[in-house]
Amino acid sequence: MAWGGGFGPPMGGGGRPGAPVGSLPFGGIPSELQAGVDSLLADEPDHGPPHRKFSQIPDETERRPLGLWQLLVQYPRLLVAGGILVVVVALATQAGPELTGIAINDGMTPHHPRLWFVGAMAGLYLGFVGITALAQRWQVQATGRLAAGVMHDLRIRVFTHIQRLSLDYFTTEKAGVVMTRMTSDIENLQQLLQNGLAQFAIQALTMIVITVILFAKDVRLAFITVVLIVPILTVLSLWFRVVSERGYLRVRDGIADVLTDLSESLHGVRVVTAHNRQRHNVLHHRNVLGEYRDANDYTAHVNAVYAPSTQLIGVLGQAALLAIGGDMVVHHSLSIGTLVAFFLYLNRFFQPIQLLVQQYNTFQQGQASVVKLRTLLETEPAVPEKPGAEVLPPIEGEIVFERVSFGYDPEAPVLHDVDLRIAPGETVAFVGPTGAGKSTLAKLITRFYDPTAGRVLIDGHDLRDVTLSSLRRQLGVVPQEPFLFAGTIGENIGFARPGATDAELGEAVDRVGLTDLVARLPDGLDTVVHERGQALSAGERQLIALARAFLAHPRVLVLDEATSNLDLQSETQIEHALDALLEERTAVLIAHRLSTAMRADRIVVVDDGRVVEVGTHDELSARGGRYARMYDVWMRQSDHRPRA
Ligand code: ADP
């Protein structure tokens, strides 16, 4: 056992330089465990450095339309090896009946029985079986590796593409559909590549080889059997192809619906529970599952008709062969060995047809998935990066809307002719009724969407002329409902700046007033966030999001104020955090509370997609317009007193 001392550093010394010592949570790896850890690390698979860097503009290979062949030729050696092995398998399998025929004809003659010859043939047969088995083993290995490689590349390509797509895609496309593309469709392809394609090739080759052998043996007999059997089989197979295709399409739609329903009820579990919708959800899911089951029933039914029918035709063919071939043997125009070989080959002739049709389904499904994935990969981001876009130099933070109009649907404009200038370092609050277009204005600043008409400029640069990454690096966004990722609180705060030092992290925590919370948590910043931070309060999640924005040091900050009712203490805390955050940077606040709006340098009143008033709180209150009326109503509500 390697548990003795001497393998690792002394306890408390830590395996890594700079690791915390003594009473701190990580006291180093105990020396008696070091050897175990080392051996675990040695076994850790090395996936190598990622060979693709993310870029907003797809490269040459990524722009080629997705196709099965294009995926396969990325691995030429495995492809060639797989191809050769497929031919070996298809040929070697067919040696058996031929050897049996030879053994009967030349070794089992009534006058000269040659036992050694029969034995030799049996030995050869065994040899070919061995070759087939070996070739099959290598072929499965080669195609398996080919499939794994192709699937890996494809998953990366699709995921990278999804990262590139703009927000509009995720609002118009159901999340379940995107998930189905990534799971079920990719899995379909995997099945096809792993064994489907190779089987398809083997069976097709087998049929060709057998047909050639049959005709070489006896043209008449081959012709009769082929003429008798093949047309019926062809008609039956064509029917099966059509109906099974229909069935599998239903199955595919069914599984997409099941996944969509499942993901929706998982994501909405809180709302479901709160509104007592469990019973209704179960009923709904049963309906969706019922559809899926019906589709599966249908394909099972079709298979149940097809498989026995082809077998029946096979038996009829053999009966015909027995009658005609038997007659030929009696009249000495055919040897018994050849007839036996014929029987054996004919038997093998049906299997590939059945398998081919089944493989054809896998092929069909795989192709359908390729088409779906191709459509996804060909979806252009609605907010594309211009080829040759320049890198946005460090900005002061001036934002200008120049006659901007915009509609999510170009036919239904949401913003009309907006002109607005926000000076560097200024804090501006957007106020107005729900649906007025405040968030939409903010989304244009971060270039989540492009205006339909007019321009949005940042320090004089049209947002469409600069690279997306250089723009977003200088922008910070705090959404209404902050999203926490799986990981620790520290990682969540450092999200926008993974290289931040502990001191910088500490400063961000301090400045937004998270110090108390972090001190209360069992592992401080290393406390793991579960389920998107549902165990934290809304106010705490908001503070974490503010710390995240603070750490990123953006020049321009866009902040959608949380609408959830925060308790008074959280609200005060967040107001303090905002003071720290808004210092010395341009900030756009989508204010849902007038108390927040009043803290801004200027207030922009938005109504029905138009900027109707702009000014300071005092100016607008004195003007007696929209803002003054909103303020009056708000003041009359006794529990709202400006705390600013
Ligand atoms: P506000 O932030 O002022 O409450 P929004 O800017 O969110 O208003 O919305 C303005 C209008 O645009 C609303 O009528 C809203 O329904 C519509 N809208 C918002 N987001 C989308 C979207 N992704 N697709 C289509 N319409 C949208």
Side-chain angles (χ1 to χ4, degrees):
M1 288 259 292
W3 298 110
F7 282 94
M11 182 161 176
R16 297 168 295 157
V21 191
S23 60
L24 293 176
F26 182 71
I29 298 164
S31 53
E32 67 271 25
L33 295 180
Q34 186 64 44
V37 172
D38 286 346
S39 76
L40 266 182
L41 283 178
D43 289 345
E44 192 76 0
D46 181 11
H47 296 296
H51 52 273
R52 218 176 249 150
K53 269 178 71 181
F54 177 74
S55 120
Q56 201 60 43
I57 299 182
D59 63 24
E60 199 47 48
T61 43
E62 286 175 296
R63 238 174 291 149
R64 267 182 236 148
L66 181 74
L68 263 186
W69 187 243
Q70 190 233 329
L71 287 171
L72 292 171
V73 290
Q74 303 291 325
Y75 294 85
R77 275 176 36 201
L78 284 173
L79 189 63
V80 170
I84 293 173
L85 288 166
V86 159
V87 175
V88 172
V89 171
L91 288 177
T93 329
Q94 302 319 326
E98 183 63 33
L99 292 172
T100 312
I102 296 174
I104 292 174
N105 281 348
D106 300 340
M108 303 183 194
T109 41
H111 314 296
H112 282 295
R114 287 187 296 170
L115 205 56
W116 66 268
F117 185 78
V118 176
M121 288 301 115
L124 253 181
Y125 195 161
L126 206 64
F128 273 107
V129 170
I131 292 175
T132 314
L134 259 185
Q136 237 160 5
R137 181 196 176 287
W138 287 330
Q139 174 254 310
V140 170
Q141 197 173 347
T143 46
R145 279 180 58 193
L146 183 67
V150 167
M151 294 328 295
H152 176 253
D153 293 353
L154 186 65
R155 278 180 206 275
I156 292 182
R157 185 166 161 188
V158 176
F159 189 85
T160 312
H161 185 75
I162 290 179
Q163 298 286 309
R164 254 184 224 126
L165 285 176
S166 314
L167 277 194
D168 69 313
Y169 182 78
F170 303 99
T171 31
T172 47
E173 197 70 66
K174 277 191 205 160
V177 173
V178 181
M179 279 310 278
T180 313
R181 291 294 97 84
M182 283 303 266
T183 51
S184 169
D185 277 325
I186 290 204
E187 231 116 77
N188 259 340
L189 258 183
Q190 180 148 355
Q191 272 204 355
L192 174 65
L193 290 175
Q194 226 157 31
N195 220 10
L197 269 188
Q199 278 302 323
F200 198 73
I202 290 179
Q203 303 312 338
L205 258 178
T206 304
M207 276 189 64
I208 295 171
V209 171
I210 293 183
T211 312
V212 170
I213 295 177
L214 287 184
F215 273 93
K217 285 201 165 307
D218 193 292
V219 177
R220 226 172 1 140
L221 209 51
F223 198 73
I224 292 170
T225 40
V226 167
V227 161
L228 253 179
I229 295 164
V230 170
I232 310 178
L233 217 52
T234 310
V235 170
L236 195 66
S237 299
L238 284 178
W239 165 81
F240 180 71
R241 219 192 78 182
V242 172
V243 289
S244 72
E245 207 175 299
R246 201 181 305 147
Y248 282 113
L249 268 181
R250 269 180 70 187
V251 170
R252 296 212 42 70
D253 287 345
I255 188 69
D257 288 346
V258 169
L259 284 179
T260 305
D261 194 54
L262 184 66
S263 98
E264 213 163 71
S265 58
L266 286 182
H267 281 134
V269 68
R270 279 171 195 81
V271 187
V272 169
T273 317
H275 291 276
N276 260 334
R277 292 274 290 192
Q278 292 98 326
R279 210 175 76 87
H280 176 272
N281 268 17
V282 170
L283 272 178
H284 187 257
H285 201 65
R286 280 179 74 145
N287 282 341
V288 175
L289 282 178
E291 266 296 304
Y292 183 47
R293 186 196 50 205
D294 290 349
N296 277 319
D297 273 355
Y298 177 74
T299 51
H301 165 74
V302 169
N303 279 323
V305 173
Y306 177 72
S309 305
T310 46
Q311 255 155 22
L312 185 68
I313 296 169
V315 175
L316 286 178
Q318 280 175 346
L321 182 66
L322 186 62
I324 302 165
D327 184 64
M328 286 165 76
V329 171
V330 171
H331 291 97
H332 299 292
S333 56
L334 190 75
S335 68
I336 295 183
T338 314
L339 182 64
V340 171
F342 232 96
F343 261 110
L344 293 175
Y345 278 124
L346 204 62
N347 228 347
R348 291 172 173 219
F349 191 69
F350 295 104
Q351 222 186 357
I353 295 182
Q354 279 188 3
L355 285 174
L356 260 184
V357 176
Q358 277 164 21
Q359 294 306 335
Y360 185 79
N361 281 325
T362 318
F363 187 71
Q364 276 283 330
Q365 289 193 53
Q367 272 295 358
S369 294
V370 169
V371 171
K372 295 214 171 97
L373 288 168
R374 190 189 298 151
T375 317
L376 170 61
L377 286 175
E378 280 169 4
T379 311
E380 292 283 342
V383 177
E385 183 165 293
K386 218 174 166 178
E390 54 174 319
V391 173
L392 181 66
I395 51 168
E396 292 285 315
E398 182 204 43
I399 302 166
V400 175
F401 283 82
E402 238 181 47
R403 311 206 58 168
V404 168
S405 297
F406 171 76
Y408 293 95
D409 169 5
E411 303 291 311
V414 171
L415 298 178
H416 314 269
D417 235 358
V418 174
D419 274 310
L420 181 69
R421 177 179 178 274
I422 302 172
E426 192 182 20
T427 299
V428 165
F430 289 166
V431 299
T434 306
K438 305 180 293 287
S439 316
T440 309
L441 274 173
K443 285 182 209 161
L444 293 185
I445 298 175
T446 46
R447 207 179 165 216
F448 286 157
Y449 295 88
D450 278 334
T452 334
R455 303 195 296 168
V456 182
L457 306 164
I458 199 155
D459 276 23
H461 299 268
D462 188 330
L463 295 190
R464 284 171 291 206
D465 293 339
V466 297
T467 62
L468 285 165
S469 64
S470 69
L471 170 69
R472 302 225 171 105
R473 206 176 302 131
Q474 305 192 52
L475 291 180
V477 180
V478 180
Q480 208 171 66
E481 197 27 70
F483 191 94
L484 299 190
F485 293 88
T488 64
I489 302 241
E491 285 163 356
N492 263 294
I493 295 177
F495 185 73
R497 256 185 75 197
T501 62
D502 285 353
E504 288 169 323
L505 209 64
E507 190 202 352
V509 167
D510 233 21
R511 293 295 298 275
V512 302
L514 264 176
T515 325
D516 286 349
L517 170 73
V518 171
R520 253 186 292 127
L521 291 171
D523 296 323
L525 281 176
D526 292 331
T527 308
V528 174
V529 176
H530 292 292
E531 279 297 301
R532 295 178 194 158
Q534 293 302 327
L536 298 165
S537 77
E540 287 163 349
R541 284 201 298 273
Q542 190 76 25
L543 286 178
I544 291 175
L546 294 181
R548 184 189 277 169
F550 184 90
L551 186 64
H553 292 308
R555 278 306 309 151
V556 174
L557 184 77
V558 177
L559 191 141
D560 199 345
E561 189 189 16
T563 41
S564 45
N565 280 326
L566 298 177
D567 55 279
L568 216 56
Q569 195 193 346
S570 306
E571 227 177 277
T572 321
Q573 260 184 327
I574 284 178
E575 278 168 13
H576 283 308
L578 278 181
D579 285 340
L581 198 60
L582 303 185
E583 226 171 70
E584 294 171 17
R585 53 177 58 106
T586 312
V588 173
L589 302 178
I590 300 168
H592 300 285
R593 272 176 288 245
L594 285 194
S595 61
T596 317
M598 285 161 58
R599 310 164 69 84
D601 300 325
R602 272 194 310 159
I603 294 167
V604 174
V605 184
V606 185
D607 192 13
D608 198 16
R610 289 185 174 79
V611 171
V612 289
E613 281 176 16
V614 184
T616 62
H617 169 72
D618 294 337
E619 286 168 11
L620 294 184
S621 314
R623 192 182 293 173
R626 281 299 295 264
Y627 181 77
R629 283 200 295 281
M630 279 163 67
Y631 186 64
D632 269 355
V633 173
W634 183 68
M635 281 296 282
R636 258 185 266 126
Q637 295 172 348
S638 55
D639 58 337
H640 279 123
R641 286 273 170 260
R643 285 194 299 276

